[in-house]
Amino acid sequence: MKRIISCLFVIALLHSVNIQAQFRKIPAEVTEAFTVQFPHATKLSWKDNITNFQANFNNGDTVMLVKYNNKGQWLETISNIPYDQLNDAIKDGFDKSKFNEWDILLVQKITSLNNEILYRIEVRKNAFRKTFLYFNEKGQLQKDVPAL
């Protein structure tokens, strides 16, 4: 009986511990590129995405993430923004979309290579239906992707 209780205790302990494994060490080129690009970042955490390294951080009052390849080359920056900071063309594009009655959960500005800028609006119809909407700066819906 003691053995069963001990085993159950160990199993419960293992399930309650949250372990984050870092597969690789973040290369110096990546951390140096980040420091140059975002010298005032706070609340920094790193994630190894296998094909890139992702930094999650705050830049002033803005929650952001940035991705670099393993040589420190910048790939993409995503920053959370309030809906009211979107330009009128994007707001108009959203209002004219079939998703205009859905709840807006999150708005993000995505800047990627070649300075391509997209705005991602996460919307929810109900607890089971969420979608990511991608608009260009002219307010044209580029794609909609169901979220899991």
Side-chain angles (χ1 to χ4, degrees):
M1 185 65 154
K2 286 183 181 181
R3 195 175 257 182
I4 293 172
I5 292 173
S6 295
C7 287
L8 290 174
F9 177 76
V10 169
I11 290 171
L13 183 63
L14 290 174
H15 283 283
S16 68
V17 175
N18 182 11
I19 300 173
Q20 278 191 331
Q22 182 70 44
F23 296 110
R24 303 175 286 171
K25 183 177 177 182
I26 308 297
E29 297 88 355
V30 173
T31 57
E32 289 169 10
F34 175 82
T35 302
V36 168
Q37 192 172 6
F38 300 101
H40 303 293
T42 59
K43 298 183 181 178
L44 173 63
S45 66
W46 286 97
K47 183 176 178 183
D48 183 351
N49 290 334
I50 307 299
T51 60
N52 62 63
F53 292 95
Q54 174 181 312
N56 298 297
F57 61 100
N58 287 2
N59 194 24
D61 292 336
T62 305
V63 176
M64 301 179 72
L65 72 84
V66 64
K67 294 179 183 177
Y68 299 94
N69 68 14
N70 63 350
K71 296 186 187 301
Q73 179 187 15
W74 172 82
L75 301 173
E76 177 179 70
T77 301
I78 300 174
S79 54
N80 293 356
I81 61 172
Y83 179 81
D84 61 349
Q85 284 186 8
L86 292 173
N87 70 38
D88 290 340
I90 298 170
K91 290 178 188 175
D92 188 51
F94 176 73
D95 288 342
K96 291 178 179 175
S97 76
K98 66 181 181 181
F99 301 96
N100 66 350
E101 305 247 338
W102 293 30
D103 295 328
I104 297 172
L105 301 177
L106 182 66
V107 178
Q108 297 175 310
K109 178 181 180 180
I110 303 170
T111 308
S112 54
L113 290 172
N114 303 323
N115 286 322
E116 179 186 4
I117 297 175
L118 288 176
Y119 294 86
R120 177 170 57 201
I121 302 175
E122 182 180 357
V123 294
R124 175 182 62 201
K125 183 172 186 172
N126 55 44
F128 305 104
R129 291 192 63 194
K130 291 183 187 177
T131 299
F132 293 107
L133 308 174
Y134 293 85
F135 290 90
N136 65 18
E137 292 184 294
K138 296 178 181 176
Q140 298 164 326
L141 181 62
Q142 301 298 293
K143 63 182 173 178
D144 58 271
V145 180
L148 299 177

